[in-house]
């Protein structure tokens, strides 16, 4: 049997127990709610971070693609520029080779001109030599001044120069004309009218005039051109 005091104590205990259980139940229920909120928040945070990561990756991918496109365009431009420079270099090499060949040709032409000039200068000097020098020049070549015995020979010789020494001269101490080969003039020869006249007593050499197509006795120190024959 329980007394009222026991009842009330028991009720208090039950009430306290109920209250404690109720308080504990609320406490437990509240902990569960807070845990759920934390879990949802963490999940949202993870999703947000994942979304941000995806956005950053997409942005970076777009930036990389843009950079790749710009890099590709730059490579194309540089490659094209390199190829153009190579073509220009090759053209310059060809032009340089052509210029070198032209330079060599010009040098050859220059040398030919110099040789021709030197020959002309030598010819000019020869043209101003007297008969003695003229004959010496022929002898150095293994020949001698030309001997004319026919009209055809004279026509051939006069075609070379306006005035030409020939191999005929007055024999010393004699009034005879002698060729360079030691033979004397045979016949009258091809003298100009009134020649030989030996106007001052010293006209001992003979020249052929193209204009007169005949011979004339002159001073041996005159400077004319000459024709050699071997």
């Amino acid at each position: 049997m329980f007394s009222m005091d026991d009842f009330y104590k028991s009720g208090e205990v039950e009430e306290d127990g109920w209250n404690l259980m109720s308080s504990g139940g609320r406490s437990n229920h509240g902990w569960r709610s807070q845990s759920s909120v934390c879990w949802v928040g963490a999940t949202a945070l993870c999703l947000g971070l994942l979304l941000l990561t995806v956005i950053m990756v997409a942005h970076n991918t777009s930036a990389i693609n843009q950079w790749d496109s710009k890099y590709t365009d730059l490579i194309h431009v540089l490659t094209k520029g390199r190829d153009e420079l190579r073509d220009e270099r090759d053209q310059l090499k060809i032009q340089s080779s052509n210029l070198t060949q032209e330079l060599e040709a010009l040098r050859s032409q220059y040398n030919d001109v110099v040789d021709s000039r030197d020959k002309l200068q030598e010819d000019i000097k020869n043209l101003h030599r007297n008969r003695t020098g003229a004959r010496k020049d022929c002898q150095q070549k293994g020949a001698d001044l030309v001997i004319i015995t026919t009209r055809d020979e004279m026509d051939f010789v006069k075609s070379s120069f306006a005035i030409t020494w020939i191999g005929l001269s007055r024999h010393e101490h004699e009034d005879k004309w002698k060729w360079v080969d030691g033979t004397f003039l045979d016949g009258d020869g091809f003298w100009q009218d009134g020649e030989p006249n030996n106007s001052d007593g010293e006209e001992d050499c003979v020249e052929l005039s193209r204009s007169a197509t005949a011979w004339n006795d002159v001073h041996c120190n005159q400077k004319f051109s000459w024709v050699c024959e071997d």
Side-chain angles (χ1 to χ4, degrees):
M1 296 291 298
F2 294 96
S3 64
M4 290 297 295
D5 292 335
D6 293 333
F7 175 77
Y8 287 120
K9 183 182 291 188
S10 176
E12 287 177 0
V13 170
E14 290 178 358
E15 183 180 0
D16 289 340
W18 181 85
N19 287 337
L20 288 173
M21 290 178 62
S22 177
S23 175
R26 286 197 301 268
S27 235
N28 188 37
H29 178 71
W31 177 83
R32 288 179 182 176
S33 298
Q34 185 177 2
S35 175
S36 298
V37 170
C38 290
W39 182 83
V40 171
T43 302
L45 179 60
C46 290
L47 289 175
L49 290 175
L50 179 61
L51 179 61
L52 179 61
T53 302
V54 171
I55 293 174
M56 290 180 66
V57 169
H59 177 75
N60 290 336
T61 302
S62 176
I64 290 173
N65 291 335
Q66 292 178 0
W67 186 86
D68 286 343
S69 177
K70 291 180 180 179
Y71 181 70
T72 302
D73 293 341
L74 179 60
I75 291 177
H76 175 72
V77 171
L78 291 176
T79 302
K80 182 179 179 181
R82 180 203 62 190
D83 294 341
E84 290 176 350
L85 288 174
R86 283 181 177 175
D87 293 340
E88 185 176 356
R89 179 201 62 189
D90 293 340
Q91 290 297 324
L92 289 175
K93 285 183 177 180
I94 294 173
Q95 293 177 4
S96 176
S97 178
N98 292 337
L99 288 175
T100 300
Q101 294 177 1
E102 291 178 3
L103 178 61
E104 293 299 326
L106 288 174
R107 285 178 177 173
S108 178
Q109 293 177 5
Y110 172 78
N111 292 334
D112 292 341
V113 170
V114 170
D115 293 340
S116 178
R117 179 205 63 189
D118 294 342
K119 185 177 183 304
L120 288 173
Q121 289 177 344
E122 184 64 23
D123 290 342
I124 291 173
K125 291 179 181 179
N126 291 337
L127 289 174
H128 291 94
R129 288 180 180 174
N130 57 26
R131 183 184 180 278
T132 302
R135 187 179 184 193
K136 182 178 180 180
D137 178 73
C138 288
Q139 290 174 335
Q140 289 176 345
K141 297 175 181 177
D144 213 328
L145 289 173
V146 63
I147 296 175
I148 298 175
T149 58
T150 66
R151 174 81 51 185
D152 290 340
E153 289 177 339
M154 187 168 63
D155 290 340
F156 175 78
V157 172
K158 77 172 186 178
S159 65
S160 300
F161 304 102
I163 300 177
T164 307
W165 286 120
I166 64 174
L168 185 64
S169 61
R170 193 186 304 273
H171 190 261
E172 294 179 2
H173 310 300
E174 296 183 26
D175 195 15
K176 292 182 179 181
W177 296 94
K178 188 177 182 179
W179 293 106
V180 290
D181 65 354
T183 61
F184 288 95
L185 176 63
D186 184 17
D188 295 334
F190 303 100
W191 298 100
Q192 298 180 25
D193 292 340
E195 301 295 342
N197 60 8
N198 194 20
S199 60
D200 59 3
E202 295 185 2
E203 294 183 342
D204 297 329
C205 294
V206 180
E207 52 89 358
L208 168 62
S209 172
R210 177 188 295 169
S211 60
T213 316
W215 304 343
N216 176 39
D217 59 338
V218 294
H219 286 274
C220 295
N221 59 2
Q222 294 289 331
K223 295 180 180 179
F224 301 133
S225 57
W226 64 92
V227 173
C228 304
E229 69 174 356
D230 54 16

